[in-house]
Amino acid sequence: MTTGLFWFTNDLRLHDQPALWKMQSVDKLICVFCIDPQWFRPNGLNAKAMGERRLQFLYESLADLQQQLQQFGQQLIIKQQTPHKALTELIEFYNVDIIVRSQHAGVYENRHWHLLQQQFPQRKFITEVSHTLFAAEDLPFAIGDLPDSFTQFRKLVEDLALPRPMSAPQQLPPPPGPIAIDKLSTPIHKPSPFHGGETAALEHISEYFSADLPANYKQVRNELDGWQHSTKFSPWLALGCLSVRHLVSKLRTYEQNKTNNDSTYWIYFELLWREYFQWYAMRHGAKLFRFDGIKNTKSRRCYYPERYQKWCNGNTPYPLVNACMKQLNATGYMSNRGRQIVASCFVYDLNLDWRFGAAYFEQQLIDYDVAANWGNWQYIAGVGADPRGGRHFNIEKQTQQYDPNGEFIRRWQGDIDLVPLDSVDAADWPIMPPSKQ
């Protein structure tokens, strides 16, 4: 009798799940997700990996997955331990023969996987691609030869044929017996237009492509607010509640049956940006989190506690930045344009170490994806894939262009209680008003 273990990570769905199809041949199957206690502890960048909004979306997604697995006579085992500890206990207790997961760009997740492979050399370990459009063997270059810029990457891959998304499995092997499930503390529910889980993701994709929204996407994609002004797929893509291959398949069907224009192309264009950062993270590994990035770029930027707190709380001298940050803190979401503006402000106007901003986004964003988040922050900061060496946006110009009437700023109270940027210097010495110096 063969026992398999499936480790869910950022693939919380049943549709287009090639790794789960690998489990069809086993006699007994364990499905597990690990909630690492380390996620809730402050890290060295003054944030936690998992904020309240992210946690709520994750719990909703896990509950939906659990409900779907129950229809197959399965259960989702949730362990509040590090993946290495939790999976080790399960492998040893149930004498697991095959351990399967989806490919992941995260250094942390891969470290646990490699430790398990070293610890159990006689067991079979399988990794399948489910979080990206392409597999490594589909690319016209080795991962180590990933192009240095997105434009080069796009030109090489945008016309490649995509694998067809897989349907959900029709059946799953049963679990080996009753398995203790850690009881989760329910987070305080906060109203949100986003509801986690595969069910909500498939409902949203159906609604989006049944309307005219894809045909007009390029004209509204830079709006700072509004449910219909962007595709809003990112939270479900980040946790894998939605397959990116399934999404592109729906896009192609829309183009064939309704319209194929610059806007529908632009949706694919931005998914290729996401794709680029996935392979970028896999190529560069731990360099994704280094102060000097992938280029060993030297910088004098540092950590000013007061400036950092003002940025986080939306209390800077810049109303547009404040409005974006208050939107983020209240909803767990921010437009792509808003993210570029506040990241540029963080790095260039506040002169702060970009990693602290990236870590705060990790804590707050419900659509946090390790590759996209840290790759984009490196890009803005000039220590990553940007051939121009960084992106400094003029905040006043951005305000006039994207919020000329101040509606967004008023909605999120970005111009309330504006204060000077500094009351202390970098060494925490008080800065006296000019008349008293």
Side-chain angles (χ1 to χ4, degrees):
M1 180 174 290
T2 305
T3 300
L5 183 149
F6 186 90
W7 178 22
F8 280 98
T9 53
N10 60 350
D11 54 353
L12 305 184
R13 66 177 187 273
L14 298 187
H15 76 276
D16 193 31
Q17 183 60 283
L20 197 56
W21 275 91
K22 289 286 185 181
M23 296 279 86
Q24 299 296 299
S25 60
V26 303
D27 300 298
K28 301 292 182 179
L29 173 62
I30 302 167
C31 297
V32 61
F33 183 88
C34 301
I35 295 179
D36 193 334
Q38 197 68 33
W39 292 349
F40 309 101
R41 298 168 187 158
N43 56 34
L45 295 173
N46 208 42
K48 297 180 293 185
M50 184 74 66
E52 291 181 1
R53 289 284 181 179
R54 274 193 70 198
L55 184 62
Q56 176 176 312
F57 192 80
L58 171 62
Y59 275 19
E60 291 168 353
S61 301
L62 292 174
D64 183 74
L65 179 60
Q66 175 69 285
Q67 192 172 46
Q68 294 195 62
L69 287 172
Q70 287 174 351
Q71 297 176 16
F72 292 92
Q74 257 295 341
Q75 61 178 331
L76 180 65
I77 312 305
I78 299 175
K79 305 296 287 184
Q80 297 189 68
Q81 298 172 302
T82 66
H84 180 254
K85 181 175 176 59
L87 299 181
T88 293
E89 291 178 357
L90 291 170
I91 291 170
E92 291 180 339
F93 187 83
Y94 291 97
N95 194 26
V96 172
D97 303 286
I98 303 172
I99 303 94
V100 179
R101 67 155 187 172
S102 294
Q103 181 175 280
H104 202 296
V107 171
Y108 161 87
E109 290 78 8
N110 289 326
R111 184 178 298 136
H112 287 292
W113 186 251
H114 294 146
L115 283 172
L116 289 168
Q117 288 178 303
Q118 293 172 5
Q119 188 173 346
F120 299 101
Q122 303 305 316
R123 315 297 169 98
K124 187 175 182 179
F125 288 81
I126 301 173
T127 296
E128 290 288 328
V129 174
S130 78
H131 200 63
T132 54
L133 289 168
F134 309 107
E137 56 268 25
D138 299 327
L139 299 173
F141 47 79
I143 296 177
D145 297 324
L146 179 76
D148 292 332
S149 73
F150 166 72
T151 299
Q152 294 172 325
F153 171 82
R154 176 183 59 80
K155 290 178 178 178
L156 290 171
V157 306
E158 69 177 342
D159 294 325
L160 292 179
L162 292 175
R164 291 180 59 84
M166 303 174 70
S167 60
Q170 298 299 307
Q171 60 183 15
L172 290 173
I179 302 177
I181 302 175
D182 291 354
K183 186 176 181 180
L184 300 179
S185 56
T186 305
I188 298 174
H189 179 76
K190 297 183 177 181
S192 171
F194 296 98
H195 189 83
E198 179 180 14
T199 301
L202 295 178
E203 288 175 356
H204 177 63
I205 199 172
S206 177
E207 291 172 0
Y208 186 79
F209 286 110
S210 65
D212 294 329
L213 298 174
N216 301 306
Y217 171 71
K218 194 174 182 182
Q219 286 72 45
V220 298
R221 66 186 181 89
N222 278 314
E223 298 291 332
L224 296 171
D225 214 348
W227 181 256
Q228 296 184 337
H229 289 156
S230 65
T231 63
K232 299 296 191 298
F233 293 128
S234 59
W236 293 291
L237 285 173
L239 279 183
C241 303
L242 177 64
S243 156
V244 67
R245 290 177 180 174
H246 180 73
L247 171 54
V248 172
S249 175
K250 293 295 184 182
L251 174 63
R252 296 290 181 247
T253 299
Y254 182 93
E255 290 178 323
Q256 292 169 8
N257 297 338
K258 293 190 176 182
T259 187
N260 184 341
N261 62 13
D262 285 348
S263 285
T264 58
Y265 167 75
W266 209 259
I267 294 174
Y268 184 58
F269 178 89
E270 293 188 348
L271 289 174
L272 288 179
W273 259 114
R274 175 188 180 274
E275 184 79 5
Y276 178 65
F277 280 128
Q278 299 301 318
W279 297 107
Y280 178 91
M282 283 184 255
R283 174 190 174 187
H284 295 293
K287 288 184 178 181
L288 200 64
F289 312 103
R290 280 180 20 178
F291 175 59
D292 54 2
I294 66 169
K295 297 180 178 179
N296 297 320
T297 306
K298 301 306 177 185
S299 171
R300 294 183 180 275
R301 297 185 181 93
C302 59
Y303 176 68
Y304 294 86
E306 183 181 21
R307 292 186 180 187
Y308 171 79
Q309 290 297 335
K310 286 181 176 177
W311 180 84
C312 291
N313 295 318
N315 195 25
T316 73
Y318 311 107
L320 184 61
V321 172
N322 296 342
C324 288
M325 294 306 295
K326 288 178 178 178
Q327 179 192 42
L328 170 64
N329 293 334
T331 68
Y333 188 82
M334 189 193 302
S335 69
N336 182 61
R337 174 58 54 178
R339 297 180 200 203
Q340 294 180 65
I341 292 169
V342 302
S344 170
C345 174
F346 191 91
V347 174
Y348 299 103
D349 296 286
L350 305 186
N351 203 37
L352 294 169
D353 178 343
W354 67 271
R355 297 173 301 165
F356 287 86
Y360 189 73
F361 268 25
E362 177 176 351
Q363 174 182 289
Q364 297 296 95
L365 284 169
I366 61 171
D367 63 359
Y368 169 76
D369 176 284
V370 61
N373 183 69
W374 291 85
N376 269 301
W377 271 91
Q378 283 197 350
Y379 188 90
I380 291 289
V383 298
D386 185 3
R388 286 166 45 180
R391 300 289 165 127
H392 185 190
F393 293 93
N394 182 303
I395 299 175
E396 184 60 33
K397 183 178 179 181
Q398 295 289 308
T399 303
Q400 292 301 317
Q401 187 169 357
Y402 298 110
D403 193 31
N405 299 317
E407 295 178 5
F408 178 77
I409 290 173
R410 285 192 296 274
R411 184 181 307 125
W412 293 103
Q413 299 183 325
D415 55 356
I416 301 298
D417 299 327
L418 294 180
V419 296
L421 181 59
D422 298 310
S423 62
V424 296
D425 65 14
D428 276 345
W429 283 83
I431 295 178
M432 302 296 289
S435 61
K436 296 184 179 180
Q437 290 180 351

